[in-house]
Amino acid sequence: MDPLQRRARYALLAGMWGFFFGIFGIPSVGLLLGALAMYWGISALRGRPATEADPVKGTPSRPGGLDSLGPAARPQRAAAVGGLVTASMALMLAASSYALQLAYKDFFVCRDDALTRTAELQCNDLLPDNVLGEILKVQR
């Protein structure tokens, strides 16, 4: 029922699934879930309690964020921080995937447009002579 707990759980789940989608090669879904997990994780950690101080009645204000839950906040804080960590990894995977596609666009277009195996092998000339070039190279 508590929105802070719900956001912390959503952050953990969305970050985890965003990371998995990034690993399995669907960076657009990983980017979406990573961004949502960052939002939910930050809002769970910065959330405010439902009631504020009332100077007329003399009721003190409760602490803000997950501290308002007292001892029950520890698992929710861990879930929110775990969601932030997995969200940042999902966002890094999506960003590196898009950067790789942008940097080696000529190679990928050449490889996709090649009609024969010989033409596909000639696309290897567009790759650099480093480890990444060896990984992406079209094999004979």
Side-chain angles (χ1 to χ4, degrees):
M1 296 296 289
D2 186 19
L4 298 178
Q5 292 178 357
R6 185 173 53 245
R7 287 180 187 154
R9 287 191 311 265
Y10 285 173
L12 183 60
L13 287 171
M16 178 183 62
W17 280 107
F19 178 72
F20 287 145
F21 278 113
I23 290 286
F24 294 133
I26 308 173
S28 57
V29 177
L31 182 66
L32 172 71
L33 289 174
L36 280 172
M38 288 291 273
Y39 170 74
W40 283 326
I42 291 170
S43 67
L45 291 175
R46 292 183 49 144
R48 297 282 176 222
T51 61
E52 294 295 327
D54 189 5
V56 175
K57 293 181 181 179
T59 58
S61 66
R62 295 190 326 208
L66 287 174
D67 292 335
S68 64
L69 297 175
R74 191 176 336 154
Q76 300 308 321
R77 183 176 288 117
V81 170
L84 287 175
V85 169
T86 56
S88 63
M89 290 190 309
L91 291 174
M92 285 184 1
L93 281 172
S96 63
S97 173
Y98 285 130
L100 182 76
Q101 290 175 13
L102 183 64
Y104 298 114
K105 183 179 180 180
D106 294 336
F107 168 73
F108 289 120
V109 168
C110 176
R111 189 188 66 187
D112 292 340
D113 290 345
L115 297 177
T116 64
R117 186 70 170 167
T118 306
E120 193 175 6
L121 287 171
Q122 289 177 350
C123 295
N124 288 339
D125 297 337
L126 300 172
L127 291 173
D129 294 330
N130 59 16
V131 175
L132 187 59
E134 293 297 321
I135 292 171
L136 294 174
K137 185 187 295 186
V138 177
Q139 303 297 323
R140 292 182 183 252

